[in-house]
Amino acid sequence: MSATILDGKKLAESVRAEVAAGVARFVAEHGRPPGLEVVLVGEDPASQVYTRNKQKASMEVGIRGELHTLPASTTEAELLALLERLNEDDAVDGILVQLPLPSQIQEQKVLDAIRADKDVDGFHPVNAGLLASGRSGLVPCTPRGCMKLIALAGTKLEGARAVVVGRSNIVGKPMAQLLLGANATVTMAHSRTKDLAARCREADVLVVAVGRAELVRGDWVKPGATVIDVGMNRVALPEGAPGGKTSKLVGDVAFEEAARVAGAITPVPGGVGPMTIACLLENTLLAAKQRLAKRG
Ligand code: NDP
């Protein structure tokens, strides 16, 4: 293995420590902590874990906030009414609605209903538009974390060839915008891309956010490239696996193969995942500061 392993857990710890210091300064200045409200609708086990982790992490850095757990039968009108209340509450700086939502609720309608200046996930069309036009807004947490990991690798983005595989609104598109903003030459690949392996081999920086276990093989990676693996896929282990484990988490990149070729690579788990939560905390502090600064 020749690649530098980019330790997202360690980097996330340092981001969290910086946020904690920023929160302490915010409290000293404004007499209250930044507020983050997390909304979970339904009982999806993965979403329960994510929201608990987000709330725990925010408490640890001094951010205040409630986890609103609503039943799976919640109507769209009930959820919108809660969001309206949180939008109006001056002590709330950030609002996050955990996705996916039950089928009776239109996701886009809900995301659009969160005030753009409290949209710490960065999914509101205003924030997407600000990012696309190179202006400052709230940037989605996962791509923001990926940029920090690329910086950790020491990769120079100016003039570099960057390839983003995946074009979702929450990862692929904002990721491409951030890379473009850093003066990389960006290609966006997706399920209709022809000869994906060849496109990937052109990349000095390869970011993969697809959701297909180990899609990207070692021979798709340009020697020395920086590889950021966003994917989180749970795959079954054969019977009798060590420790009695029945499944494990893998990325969208075949890690062992790619690590032999890449210059730097993120592991799964322990790469992008921890950075997403750390950047959510950073976004919450930023949203609080920006909102209060606007008021003068
Ligand atoms: P989406 O399902 O919204 O998007 C997947 C994208 O991958 C689509 O643009 C799709 O193309 C593309 N795609 C699918 N199959 C292929 C293929 N065979 N070849 C090339 N492109 C393909 O996923 P997300 O962006 O929400 O998430 C992607 C992955 O990242 C998932 O594993 C998810 O769990 C993980 N994730 C991890 C986070 C973290 O914190 N670590 C945070 C968010 C996501 P098309 O548009 O043409 O359909």
Side-chain angles (χ1 to χ4, degrees):
M1 195 177 293
S2 64
T4 301
I5 311 301
L6 300 168
D7 186 344
K9 232 173 135 186
K10 198 161 153 210
L11 182 59
E13 269 166 32
S14 73
V15 172
R16 284 148 81 134
E18 270 171 41
V19 175
V23 166
R25 282 194 297 273
F26 183 93
V27 173
E29 207 174 318
H30 301 287
R32 68 160 181 89
L36 170 66
E37 304 286 309
V38 178
V39 182
L40 169 66
V41 187
E43 280 110 43
D44 177 62
S47 294
Q48 283 174 334
V49 173
Y50 294 147
T51 48
R52 261 204 309 273
N53 288 347
K54 286 171 185 174
Q55 227 233 344
K56 185 168 164 275
S58 59
M59 302 294 265
E60 278 167 9
V61 296
I63 292 171
R64 180 207 61 83
E66 215 181 297
L67 173 58
H68 303 260
T69 310
L70 308 180
S73 58
T74 302
T75 64
E76 190 174 277
E78 284 166 339
L79 179 56
L80 291 174
L82 170 64
L83 295 179
E84 188 53 35
R85 186 165 67 71
L86 298 176
N87 278 339
E88 294 303 316
D89 187 340
D90 200 40
V92 174
D93 302 293
I95 305 169
L96 181 156
V97 177
Q98 185 65 42
L99 303 178
L101 290 167
S103 58
Q104 74 275 16
I105 300 177
Q106 278 185 55
E107 211 162 270
Q108 199 56 59
K109 207 164 163 188
V110 168
L111 297 180
D112 290 1
I114 297 170
R115 265 176 63 153
D117 58 357
K118 296 190 177 188
D119 165 42
V120 284
D121 258 338
F123 297 162
H124 191 282
V126 166
N127 284 318
L130 288 170
L131 179 60
S133 49
R135 294 163 61 189
S136 76
L138 291 166
V139 173
C141 306
T142 300
R144 198 177 154 103
C146 293
M147 290 299 280
K148 289 184 194 288
L149 286 160
I150 294 168
L152 176 70
T155 309
K156 193 170 156 282
L157 284 173
E158 175 127 3
R161 285 294 302 268
V163 175
V164 180
V165 190
R167 55 174 166 180
S168 71
N169 289 337
I170 64 173
V171 190
K173 280 184 198 147
M175 187 70 231
Q177 298 287 1
L178 288 172
L179 290 164
L180 196 59
N183 296 323
T185 302
V186 184
T187 300
M188 292 194 69
H190 44 77
S191 68
R192 316 291 166 87
T193 297
K194 288 197 180 111
D195 202 354
L196 182 62
R199 298 290 75 73
C200 290
R201 269 193 292 272
E202 290 165 357
D204 301 309
V205 177
L206 178 61
V207 182
V208 190
V210 167
R212 301 274 181 278
E214 301 181 332
L215 172 80
V216 173
R217 310 308 309 185
D219 63 356
W220 296 24
V221 174
K222 179 177 176 177
T226 297
V227 179
I228 307 293
D229 188 354
V230 181
M232 286 199 302
N233 311 285
R234 189 151 286 283
V235 295
L237 286 171
E239 237 177 273
K245 285 193 176 161
T246 54
S247 70
K248 68 169 182 171
L249 206 57
V250 299
D252 290 343
V253 177
F255 180 81
E256 298 293 334
E257 290 176 19
R260 282 195 277 272
V261 189
I265 187 167
T266 57
V268 177
V272 174
M275 291 303 295
T276 296
I277 295 194
C279 290
L280 168 69
L281 307 177
E282 215 179 42
N283 266 357
T284 304
L285 177 60
L286 185 69
K289 290 204 282 199
Q290 282 179 344
R291 215 164 50 82
L292 296 196
K294 231 189 279 166
R295 209 177 294 159

